[in-house]
Structure formats: structure tokens, C-alpha cells
Amino acid sequence: MNKKLIPALLLTSLMSFSSAQAAVDQVAADTSKTSTQKSAQIISINSASAAQLSTLKGVGDSKAKAIVDYRKTHGKFGSINDLSNVKGIGNKLIEQNKAILSL
């Protein structure tokens, strides 16, 4: 009788381990999402450095520098949509980042 019980116990343990591993994987995925959301801080287009601006989706070093140069030449932005006045910045890029942009 013990010979039949041992494989059943092993199978049950293996199934429990698989469920536990799936739960651990889900927690890790949820933690990763939370970390990503926390790292997306609000960026002020009127005071952010080029390095900060380059963290925006679709904005590399050259576009970030163009934003800073535009701001130095023309003064502070009156609205988030005024970013479209900067060469290389379009409405799509603004929409992609609108949730984390401020004046």
C-alpha cells in the first residue's frame, strides 16, 4: 500500500509546487508593473533638463536638446500642446506622454 501512496504524494507535491511557482511569477510580474509606473514621474516641460526630457517615449537626446533650446529662445511653454512648435515633436509624441507631462 505504501508503494501506491508515495507516487500519489509526489504527484500532489509537484502540482502544489507548480501552483506556487505560478503565484510567485504573477507577484513578480505585478511588482515589475508597479516599479515601471512609479519610475514614470511627472516631467515639467518648463523646467526639466535635457536628461529628464530624454526619458519620455519617443524623445532622444537630440529632441530633448531641441525642447530645451526652444524654451531658452521662446520662453516657457503656455500649454503642453505648445511642444508641437518644437521641430521634431508632433501630436502623436505629445499624446504618448501627456499623462506624465506638466507645465
Side-chain angles (χ1 to χ4, degrees):
M1 185 159 164
N2 284 339
K3 289 182 180 179
K4 290 183 179 181
L5 185 59
I6 290 173
L9 287 173
L10 286 173
L11 183 58
T12 303
S13 296
L14 183 60
M15 290 171 50
S16 295
F17 177 74
S18 295
S19 296
Q21 185 62 42
V24 168
D25 291 344
Q26 183 61 43
V27 168
D30 291 345
T31 301
S32 176
K33 286 179 186 176
T34 302
S35 296
T36 301
Q37 290 170 347
K38 286 181 182 177
S39 67
Q41 296 179 353
I42 302 297
I43 295 177
S44 169
I45 60 173
N46 283 325
S47 61
S49 67
Q52 291 168 320
L53 291 165
S54 68
T55 64
L56 295 169
K57 291 179 189 173
V59 177
D61 292 338
S62 62
K63 284 184 183 176
K65 184 180 179 317
I67 294 170
V68 172
D69 290 345
Y70 183 91
R71 189 174 65 206
K72 286 179 182 175
T73 303
H74 297 93
K76 292 185 175 186
F77 292 96
S79 73
I80 301 297
N81 290 328
D82 286 349
L83 272 175
S84 63
N85 295 330
V86 178
K87 185 175 181 170
I89 307 291
N91 291 328
K92 182 178 177 182
L93 189 144
I94 295 168
E95 286 301 317
Q96 287 176 330
N97 294 289
K98 208 165 207 168
I100 60 170
L101 294 175
S102 72
L103 295 177

